[in-house]
Amino acid sequence: MVGYDPKSEVKSISAVEVAVAGSASGFVTRALISPVDVIKIRFQLQIEQLSPRNPLAKYYGILQTAHRILHEEGLTAFWKGHVPAQLLSISYGAVQFVTFECLTELVHNATPYDTRNFIVHFVCGGLAACTATMTVQPLDTLRTRFAAQGEPKVYQNLRHAVVTMYQTEGPLTFYRGLTPTIIAVFPYAGLQFSFYNLLQQLYKRVMPSEGMNAELQNKSVFRLRLDMFLKDMPSLKEVVDLMQKFLGNVKNLVCGSCAGVISKTLTYPFDLFKKRLQVGGFEQARAAFGQVRTYKGLMDCAGQIVREEGPVGLFKGLSPSLLKAALSTGFTFFWYEFFCNLLYALKDTGSTKGQEG
């Protein structure tokens, strides 16, 4: 259901329902992956080498970092910045999926291209993500500041953060890191959508059970007899339907996770640049974590990282980022398709009852 498909049976999902499904998907996903995101941001912002052999390194491993954050800041630290992060996820999910659905439908209606094409999904996914990013960038900056600060806190709450940043750094501070974000988000999201679609198609070829079931249902006498048998046993039929839906949801989760890992690996350095730039002017809150740096812009940031931390510094925090990408992308597509199907089922049930009445 991701993207407009003229062959799909589910064509009655409105833009509002797509927005609801996208927002709900973002909300659930963010709540689940927030701890991994906090660890990833701590890794990205640390200047020192991520190694236990470096005595100055505050963090150097996922489990070590999790244990240290828990010991020093408590369990709630894994959800630091969760309010702006949730606002970001809810808004981003709605804007991204509505834009993507509209763009793929536009391609179908206005061009000769197949809407399930890899390149079409790449371009439409990238444009949808850029639109969503421009919309929610201030919330992303706030989320990063909250996740980055230690104890004592610089910002006590969301309102305090907004007022303080606006008064001391100006309105443009909410768009710090926008350039690398836009540069990175287009290919990252484009690859997410296109690889998700590609992996779904490959899954159907490798595991053609759904196609085989449909063919048997339409052409096979055995399938017709099986259907008659199942009609006499409603409980068994419900089990079969439930298993088919479960396998379909697992497929969405696996394909989404793989798409997330591939796209994140290919575009990771830009995510690192964005995080470093977003905490510019926030150095006092980073003092307890080790060295701090000030960057003049994207190229200066990239140059300093390569000179001081080596090429491997461009991939600091990659391991938790890949874990987050797998969970985030997998859950995003999983929950989006789940809520779309749920909304469609509720609408279909309502219309059926209306006709019966």
Side-chain angles (χ1 to χ4, degrees), residues 154-211:
V154 176
Y155 304 130
Q156 301 305 315
N157 51 52
L158 183 59
R159 181 180 180 279
H160 180 240
V162 172
V163 173
T164 303
M165 290 171 64
Y166 182 84
Q167 292 178 344
T168 59
E169 303 174 58
L172 292 181
T173 192
F174 295 102
Y175 288 90
R176 283 181 181 270
L178 181 61
T179 301
T181 301
I182 292 296
I183 293 174
V185 77
F186 185 95
Y188 176 57
L191 290 171
Q192 278 185 331
F193 280 97
S194 52
F195 272 110
Y196 179 73
N197 177 50
L198 177 63
L199 291 170
Q200 290 266 3
Q201 295 180 20
L202 290 176
Y203 182 92
K204 290 179 180 178
R205 293 179 183 179
V206 176
M207 303 287 290
S209 57
E210 296 178 5

Side-chain angles (χ1 to χ4, degrees), residues 8 14 21 25 34 58 70 75 120 141 145 152-153 208 230 239 260 320 324 327 331 354 356:
S8 174
S14 67
S25 171
S34 181
K58 186 178 179 70
L70 180 64
L75 183 63
V120 170
T141 300
R145 293 279 183 107
K153 295 179 180 179
L230 292 176
V239 170
K324 180 203 167 184
L327 295 174
F331 282 139
E356 291 177 353

Side-chain angles (χ1 to χ4, degrees), residues 145 152 154-155 164 168-169 279 281-289 292:
R145 293 279 183 107
V154 176
Y155 304 130
T164 303
T168 59
E169 303 174 58
V279 295
F282 192 55
E283 289 78 12
Q284 74 278 13
R286 300 289 308 155
F289 295 94
V292 294

Side-chain angles (χ1 to χ4, degrees), residues 20-87:
V20 170
S23 294
S25 171
F27 177 84
V28 176
T29 301
R30 173 61 60 183
L32 294 173
I33 59 103
S34 181
V36 180
D37 198 29
V38 169
I39 293 173
K40 182 205 74 167
I41 292 174
R42 296 293 176 91
F43 279 13
Q44 289 177 323
L45 299 181
Q46 180 169 294
I47 303 300
E48 293 80 6
Q49 183 184 12
L50 299 172
S51 171
R53 295 187 295 273
N54 186 347
L56 299 178
K58 186 178 179 70
Y59 307 122
Y60 51 80
I62 294 178
L63 293 179
Q64 177 269 343
T65 302
H67 180 268
R68 186 153 192 172
I69 292 174
L70 180 64
H71 176 72
E72 295 180 350
E73 305 170 50
L75 183 63
T76 57
F78 292 105
W79 282 269
K80 275 188 174 180
H82 194 59
V83 173
Q86 277 292 10
L87 293 175

Side-chain angles (χ1 to χ4, degrees), residues 352-357:
T352 301
K353 289 183 178 179
Q355 291 176 358
E356 291 177 353

Side-chain angles (χ1 to χ4, degrees), residues 28 81 85 88 105 114 135 163 183 186 237 260 271 317 326 329-330 337:
V28 176
L88 180 150
E105 185 173 2
D114 181 4
T135 305
V163 173
I183 293 174
F186 185 95
K237 188 176 190 304
D271 189 35
T329 310
E337 299 231 32

